[in-house]
Amino acid sequence: MPPSSQRHGADIAFLHTAAIHIDTFDALGAEIAPELKLTHVVREDLLAAAEKAGHATPGLVLKTREALLALADGGASTVVCTCSTLGAVAEAANAEAAVPILRIDRPMADLAVLQGHRIGIAACVPATVPNTEALIAESARAVARDFELETFLFDDIWTAFREGRLDDYYQGIAARIADIARRVDVLVLAQASMAPAAALCHNLPIPVLSSPRIGFEAAARLANQVKTMRRNAR
C-alpha cells in the first residue's frame, strides 16, 4: 500500500497500525485541543509484517518511513506514530522531516523514569518488547537515572484483540496487571491499544502509564509551537 501524497493540511497527522486508534485520538483531540485539526492513516500491513518477521526489517523500515514523510509533506505541523513496534523507525525519520515526527510512547517513557526505579513493561506483542526496553533505557540515560527493568509479556491475550474481543482483551490485561503490580514501582503499557485496561485497575499501589493521553498532550504542544513559528515567519 503506497503512502498517500495528498495534501491533508492537518495540524497533527497520525500513522496507526490499527483502526481502533482513530476514535481514541479523536476523543483526546476534542477534549484536549479542539482547535487542532487531526487526520489519520491506518496501515495494518506494517504491524502484520513486523509480527511476521519478529522485528522491523529493512523493507518495513522503508515503508514506514515513506508513510511518515508523506504525512509530513501533506502539511502537518506534527506527525505521530502510534505503533510502539515502529517507534524507533519514526524517530529515525524525524531527522528527515521538516516538522516533528513523534513516537507516541516517548513522552510516557520520559515520565516513567522520573516516577520510579523499578520500571515494569507490559506488552502483548513480542516485537514491541525490545523497542520499549530500548526506549526506557534511552529516557533514563537522558536524565542520568539508574533503573531496573522487568518485562511482562501477555502475548496470549493478543488473540482477543485480533479477533475484535476488546472487552476480553482489556480485562485480561487488567487481571495480569493486578498480579504484577507489587513487583515494580511504575508500570508502562507498551502498546496504545492497551490503554483502556488501565481504567479497569483499581486500588493499585503503583502508577500505570499508557501512551495515548501523555503522547497526545506532547504532540499538541509541538503542533502549536510549529503553527506559531509558521505564523511568525510570514
Side-chain angles (χ1 to χ4, degrees):
M1 183 185 299
S4 171
S5 60
Q6 295 182 349
R7 186 168 183 82
H8 53 73
D11 297 305
I12 305 177
F14 291 92
L15 177 65
H16 307 296
T17 52
I20 189 175
H21 297 314
I22 295 176
D23 288 345
T24 297
F25 286 95
D26 278 346
L28 287 170
E31 175 191 347
I32 297 170
E35 76 282 2
L36 296 179
K37 178 183 176 183
L38 313 182
T39 193
H40 306 271
V41 168
V42 178
R43 292 289 302 274
E44 294 181 353
D45 60 303
L46 298 178
L47 181 57
E51 288 186 76
K52 183 177 179 179
H55 64 281
T57 64
L60 177 57
V61 169
L62 178 60
K63 289 179 181 179
T64 304
R65 171 184 164 278
E66 288 177 342
L68 290 166
L69 293 178
L71 287 172
D73 291 343
S77 296
T78 297
V79 176
V80 181
C81 176
T82 63
C83 179
S84 51
T85 301
L86 302 174
V89 181
E91 289 194 324
N94 182 57
E96 302 179 60
V99 298
I101 295 179
L102 176 71
R103 61 182 293 174
I104 194 65
D105 49 357
R106 169 66 72 181
M108 175 182 68
D110 290 344
L111 179 60
V113 300
L114 298 178
Q115 292 199 341
H117 174 72
R118 297 178 303 159
I119 301 172
I121 295 173
C124 293
V125 176
T128 301
V129 170
N131 300 293
T132 307
E133 290 176 339
L135 176 66
I136 296 292
E138 290 168 6
S139 292
R141 284 196 298 269
V143 292
R145 291 268 182 162
D146 292 330
F147 69 99
E148 295 177 7
L149 197 61
E150 188 168 2
T151 298
F152 307 94
L153 182 60
F154 309 153
D155 53 338
D156 56 315
I157 302 175
W158 185 238
T159 301
F161 180 86
R162 282 297 192 196
E163 294 176 353
R165 295 183 287 110
L166 297 182
D167 286 344
D168 291 342
Y169 179 61
Y170 302 142
Q171 290 172 8
I173 294 167
R176 297 288 181 87
I177 289 173
D179 289 340
I180 64 177
R182 297 188 183 280
R183 296 172 58 174
V184 294
D185 299 324
V186 57
L187 183 68
V188 301
L189 304 182
Q191 296 150 235
S193 66
M194 301 172 72
L200 302 177
C201 300
H202 305 290
N203 301 317
L204 292 180
I206 60 166
V208 177
L209 305 182
S210 59
S211 60
R213 177 176 292 275
I214 300 169
F216 185 90
E217 290 173 345
R221 289 192 296 270
L222 285 172
N224 279 317
Q225 289 170 8
V226 172
K227 291 179 69 176
T228 299
M229 290 174 59
R230 287 172 172 170
R231 284 195 299 267
N232 292 340
R234 291 174 184 169

